[in-house]
Amino acid sequence: MSKRIYRVTSRHGLLTTTAVLGLAAAMMASGIPARVQSAYADAVRVQAPDEPGFADVVEAVTPAVVSVRVKSDIKPVSSNSFNFGAPGMENLPEDHPMRRFFREFGQGSPFGDRFGERGDQDRPEQRMPRARPVSQGSGFFISDDGFVVTNAHVVDNGSEFAVVMHDGTELDAELIGKDARTDLAVLKVDSDQTFTYVSFDDDDKTRIGDWVVAVGNPFGLGGTVTAGIVSARGRDIGAGPYDDFIQVDAAVNRGNSGGPTFNLEGEVIGVNTAIFSPSGGNVGIAFAIPASLASEVVADLMDKGTVERGWLGVQIQPVSADIAESLGLSEAKGALVTEPQPDSPALEAGLKSGDVVTAVDGELVESPRDLARKIAGISPGEDAEITVWREGDTRTLKVEIGTLKEPKRAAALAGPQQNDTGESLEEFGLTVKPADDGNGLMITKVEPGSTAADRGMREGDIIVAVNNTDVQSADDVAKAVDAATEAGRKAVLFQLSNQDSSRFVALPVSVG
């Protein structure tokens, strides 16, 4: 019989539990070689326990999982009030049709309750409590002295916090810190008791197809357990620059946010944070923050209440195959610098628009997301070596990493630019004219169906440079294109700006 040690710690130290966990395997003989069937069957027989199930791991970890309740200050509301957020509604006459409608709108509904199930307006005025639950999620103890991990979005706008343990005990808690960029938060329970807690695992060992168990508080039902497998790794769902989610198919629903996803050793491999669902319920696609990232953020929040990240100060975009071709790169990897930010470490170190960051401290950079994670992991004030590809050659720049500040609200986009006439760049389906400030060429027309249109170029964009050469006229563009074709390039790189943003677009050129 195989044994597993659950790394769940209680007041008595290391808690060990003998578990019998596994899968019932079945194979169809048709089309599978006998030797493969035999090897697979042998492997299953070696690993399969006598009593399949998840009960042992669930029993071990459940005491460490809690429900998180968040309260928020609200203004006292009279039970006789009637406004529903619309000004003037409270002054409607008693016999007004709208009053009658809402009195009769589904007895027991929030509308009906506002007036009483029969619309009784003669009850003594009742006031709602000063605070009420506004959100409910899940969490788990990460230390025996009461630190609790949950999601930042669970505790947002909260003024009072409480955790409910698996036995129904409710304990007050305070918010120690939260990090919106990774959607993680840490609470501290106000109690002298010693708690059973769980630990983070090295999720790098987690493979697609591994069994996982999710424990949480879906729909406010209390402790609920679901099981599934790891469906994918490294998912980018557009939540932020550090997206690297583990995708699982265990049933995760609203209220599971902040809850743990366990491996079969009872270790946390991820913190549930999002689901993909047209209906709001489980459809088998859920995302968890990987333990490797969560453990670092949680440690900082427990220690300092905040997270300090390194800052390079560049706008970046992915390197597509066309962009790689236009720059002479052998692979479409790295992060293309569209523009160094003012007063940034990148600008001071000499990074330029058009540079491709290929490595940080000797570690290869696969993508913009990879660069963001690597820089964020460097402590502010430390020096880093940034390797870039520039003008067909590799260079290494020394940068003193800055401190990442909270993001500012993006400026509103300006209205559409007037479509004036100008010079034609017929090969690309563009019409351009000198920009008003004399820096670059403004696109005044993009031919529908052209390559430029397909690549997202639009009227009002400013062509700043072509293949890292500044352009002021259509002739400048033609010269840059000729130089690219003579060098055997199959694409040229246009640097575009619009308002406060900059980006690169590679357009194919005719060769020969």
Side-chain angles (χ1 to χ4, degrees):
M1 181 183 298
S2 62
K3 296 184 179 180
R4 296 186 185 275
I5 303 300
Y6 294 106
R7 296 170 191 168
V8 181
T9 307
S10 71
R11 62 185 302 171
H12 304 296
L14 185 65
L15 173 65
T16 64
T17 304
T18 301
V20 213
L21 300 166
L23 303 172
M27 296 190 64
M28 296 180 63
S30 175
I32 303 178
R35 56 186 175 82
V36 176
Q37 293 184 42
S38 176
Y40 187 82
D42 289 342
V44 171
R45 279 199 296 269
V46 170
Q47 298 173 9
D50 298 331
E51 302 174 15
F54 301 99
D56 289 329
V57 67
V58 171
E59 182 180 0
V61 302
T62 297
V65 182
V66 299
S67 297
V68 177
R69 293 182 180 175
V70 182
K71 301 179 181 181
S72 177
D73 287 334
I74 60 171
K75 296 179 179 179
V77 179
S78 167
S79 63
N80 294 331
S81 67
F82 177 81
N83 53 41
F84 302 102
M89 293 289 281
E90 68 276 6
N91 298 322
L92 290 175
E94 290 295 325
D95 60 349
H96 192 280
M98 288 298 291
R99 276 188 176 271
R100 290 199 303 271
F101 171 77
F102 284 115
R103 277 197 295 267
E104 297 167 3
F105 184 91
Q107 293 184 358
S109 73
F111 298 104
D113 288 345
R114 187 68 66 88
F115 289 95
E117 289 190 350
R118 290 182 298 276
D120 184 2
Q121 295 291 311
D122 297 324
R123 295 181 299 174
E125 182 175 299
Q126 298 178 356
R127 293 187 176 273
M128 297 180 68
R130 178 176 177 273
R132 66 177 181 185
V134 294
S135 65
Q136 190 162 280
S138 303
F140 54 95
F141 285 110
I142 199 66
S143 70
D144 64 358
D145 56 349
F147 283 96
V148 174
V149 177
T150 186
N151 281 151
H153 77 259
V154 170
V155 301
D156 269 350
N157 303 315
S159 61
E160 299 177 35
F161 309 92
V163 300
V164 182
M165 300 177 64
H166 75 295
D167 61 0
T169 302
E170 182 169 342
L171 299 171
D172 290 335
E174 65 173 318
L175 178 63
I176 300 301
K178 62 181 179 178
D179 180 51
R181 286 186 170 91
T182 55
D183 196 23
L184 289 167
V186 172
L187 300 169
K188 177 68 167 63
V189 171
D190 184 16
S191 174
D192 294 331
Q193 71 182 89
T194 302
F195 299 96
T196 300
Y197 68 97
V198 290
S199 60
F200 287 112
D201 181 35
D202 178 8
D203 65 89
D204 288 340
K205 299 182 298 183
T206 301
R207 300 180 303 165
I208 297 173
D210 280 351
W211 277 107
V212 291
V213 176
V215 185
N217 179 36
F219 303 116
L221 294 173
T224 299
V225 179
T226 55
I229 63 168
V230 174
S231 303
R233 296 291 310 269
R235 287 296 197 210
D236 181 0
I237 63 174
Y242 311 114
D243 282 14
D244 188 25
F245 294 110
I246 299 172
Q247 181 182 326
V248 300
D249 74 345
V252 173
N253 293 286
R254 293 182 179 180
N256 276 107
S257 291
T261 292
F262 294 102
N263 60 20
L264 297 189
E265 282 72 39
E267 299 164 317
V268 179
I269 66 161
V271 182
N272 299 322
T273 189
I275 62 174
F276 176 81
S277 171
S279 63
N282 170 62
V283 295
I285 302 177
F287 303 98
I289 304 162
S292 54
L293 172 61
S295 60
E296 296 176 359
V297 173
V298 167
D300 284 345
L301 292 175
M302 291 172 63
D303 183 35
K304 297 175 288 189
T306 186
V307 178
E308 283 190 350
R309 292 187 173 89
W311 176 57
L312 183 59
V314 287
Q315 295 180 20
I316 50 180
Q317 72 177 64
V319 178
S320 66
D322 286 340
I323 289 176
E325 167 64 29
S326 68
L327 294 176
L329 280 168
S330 59
E331 293 183 287
K333 294 183 178 181
L336 177 61
V337 177
T338 60
E339 187 177 6
Q341 297 174 11
D343 301 321
S344 66
L347 188 63
E348 185 175 345
L351 268 76
K352 298 180 179 180
S353 296
D355 286 346
V356 177
V357 179
T358 57
V360 175
D361 288 334
E363 294 186 9
L364 295 180
V365 172
E366 298 288 329
S367 65
R369 196 169 37 136
D370 189 25
L371 175 62
R373 286 198 299 267
K374 283 181 166 59
I375 295 298
I378 301 175
S379 299
E382 290 187 4
D383 291 335
E385 290 188 346
I386 307 297
T387 304
V388 301
W389 177 264
R390 180 188 296 173
E391 297 176 356
D393 194 15
T394 297
R395 309 185 186 195
T396 300
L397 305 175
K398 188 175 182 180
V399 182
E400 181 179 342
I401 300 299
T403 303
L404 182 63
K405 300 177 181 178
E406 287 299 314
K408 297 180 180 179
R409 182 173 297 181
L413 294 175
Q417 302 285 339
Q418 183 177 355
N419 184 5
D420 296 333
T421 59
E423 298 178 272
S424 175
L425 299 174
E426 186 175 352
E427 181 176 356
F428 305 111
L430 297 171
T431 302
V432 297
K433 72 168 188 176
D436 294 339
D437 61 2
N439 296 319
L441 296 169
M442 177 186 290
I443 298 176
T444 59
K445 185 177 180 181
V446 181
E447 290 292 339
S450 64
T451 303
D454 292 342
R455 301 293 167 88
M457 298 175 74
R458 55 188 183 271
E459 297 174 12
D461 283 345
I462 305 296
I463 303 173
V464 178
V466 177
N467 273 12
N468 294 320
T469 301
D470 293 343
V471 293
Q472 305 293 335
S473 66
D475 285 340
D476 291 342
V477 176
K479 291 176 182 177
V481 171
D482 289 342
T485 55
E486 288 175 6
R489 303 279 172 81
K490 298 178 181 178
V492 290
L493 193 65
F494 283 70
Q495 181 182 356
L496 306 176
S497 68
N498 196 321
Q499 302 303 316
D500 295 327
S501 64
S502 180
R503 70 186 193 279
F504 287 89
V505 174
L507 297 181
V509 294
S510 302
V511 180

